[in-house]
Amino acid sequence: MVADIQLKLRQLADPAIARHSLRFFKTGRGEYGEGDRFLGIRVPVLRKHIREFMDASLEDIQELLTSDFHEERLFALLLLVRKFEKGDEAQQNDVYDLYFRNRSSVNNWDLVDSSAPYIVGAWLEKRDPSPLYNLARSDSLWDRRIAIVATFHCIRKGSFDDALRISRLLIQDREDLIHKAVGWMLREIGKRDIEAEKAFLRQHLLEMPRTMLRYAIEKFPEHERKRYLVCISEEEISDLR
């Protein structure tokens, strides 16, 4: 099955898209995607072929996750998401365990974002969330992004506690990709409960990285965005209520 999947993906490959992806996913020396390789396949094209390979075993998928090619790892993750969605509790447990053991292969922002909410977030929804907090304290950029993006599953269901707590843990993170992810989750909270988002912003506004803040307030009215961006004191923040 692995060979069949690899053959299909190579038939879909586009060298021009692959060259663009090298720049888009920051694969240069010292960049977050250093050394990654691309076949050149857009995500919607990959998704069209998931159903053809739903019989792939978890062993097959794990092998794909070790691939040097970004799209093969992404295809493996999309298969895992579909298997989790279709599986019973036992199979969901197996998918979650496989994902967690192979996190080192979930090593770019798109790989995290297309899988973490649908596997990690979904599995932990009614279970002990401590794995998320352990990931949030990890030295790995991608572990930390998994931690915050996984909370999107519960955010969509109106539960924000873990997302807000993990946002606090990551508020002074050194990585821009974490600033963006935290701001994104705060914005998603605001879509559902604007007061919950604003309470967090008032509490942490002065210590938030600017990128995080800009992402969080992206959907605010322009005049309100400007007020948040110019606040430099506790007194000014109190006027935002």
Side-chain angles (χ1 to χ4, degrees), residues 2 57-64 98:
V2 173
S57 68
L58 293 184
E59 290 76 17
D60 291 334
I61 294 173
Q62 184 167 8
E63 183 176 342
L64 273 180
L98 186 151

Side-chain angles (χ1 to χ4, degrees), residues 33-196:
E34 181 178 356
D36 209 352
R37 300 173 67 191
F38 291 83
L39 294 168
I41 312 169
R42 302 291 191 199
V43 176
V45 176
L46 288 175
R47 290 188 184 278
K48 286 181 182 178
H49 294 276
I50 291 297
R51 187 175 297 179
E52 296 173 38
F53 299 102
M54 280 300 295
D55 289 337
S57 68
L58 293 184
E59 290 76 17
D60 291 334
I61 294 173
Q62 184 167 8
E63 183 176 342
L64 273 180
L65 275 174
T66 67
S67 173
D68 290 338
F69 286 101
H70 188 100
E71 293 91 345
E72 289 188 357
R73 301 197 304 281
L74 178 54
F75 197 79
L77 292 168
L78 295 175
L79 278 171
L80 281 181
V81 169
R82 187 68 62 87
K83 282 184 175 293
F84 187 95
E85 292 172 345
K86 300 293 185 182
D88 58 19
E89 185 174 5
Q91 184 168 26
Q92 289 178 343
N93 188 18
D94 290 342
V95 169
Y96 171 80
D97 285 346
L98 186 151
Y99 185 94
F100 218 80
R101 291 195 313 270
N102 292 274
R103 297 190 318 280
S104 61
S105 295
V106 189
N107 57 355
N108 215 309
W109 59 265
D110 64 317
L111 304 181
V112 172
D113 298 357
S114 62
S115 60
Y118 313 106
I119 298 174
V120 179
W123 179 251
L124 295 177
E125 178 187 359
K126 297 179 180 178
R127 296 176 174 84
D128 177 7
S130 60
L132 294 180
Y133 293 85
N134 293 334
L135 291 174
R137 296 182 178 95
S138 170
D139 290 335
S140 164
L141 160 63
W142 306 119
D143 277 355
R144 300 197 304 278
R145 185 154 177 130
I146 288 171
I148 186 61
V149 174
T151 68
F152 192 20
H153 175 84
C154 287
I155 289 172
R156 287 183 298 184
K157 296 193 169 191
S159 178
F160 313 135
D161 289 350
D162 288 320
L164 292 172
R165 291 189 184 109
I166 291 170
S167 293
R168 291 186 184 96
L169 288 176
L170 296 174
I171 203 160
Q172 296 194 19
D173 197 277
R174 63 186 179 275
E175 296 286 352
D176 186 64
L177 283 173
I178 300 300
H179 303 168
K180 292 176 179 178
V182 172
W184 170 26
M185 292 304 107
L186 292 173
R187 185 172 74 239
E188 292 297 333
I189 290 171
K191 289 179 182 179
R192 295 155 177 86
D193 185 342
I194 190 62
E195 289 309 316

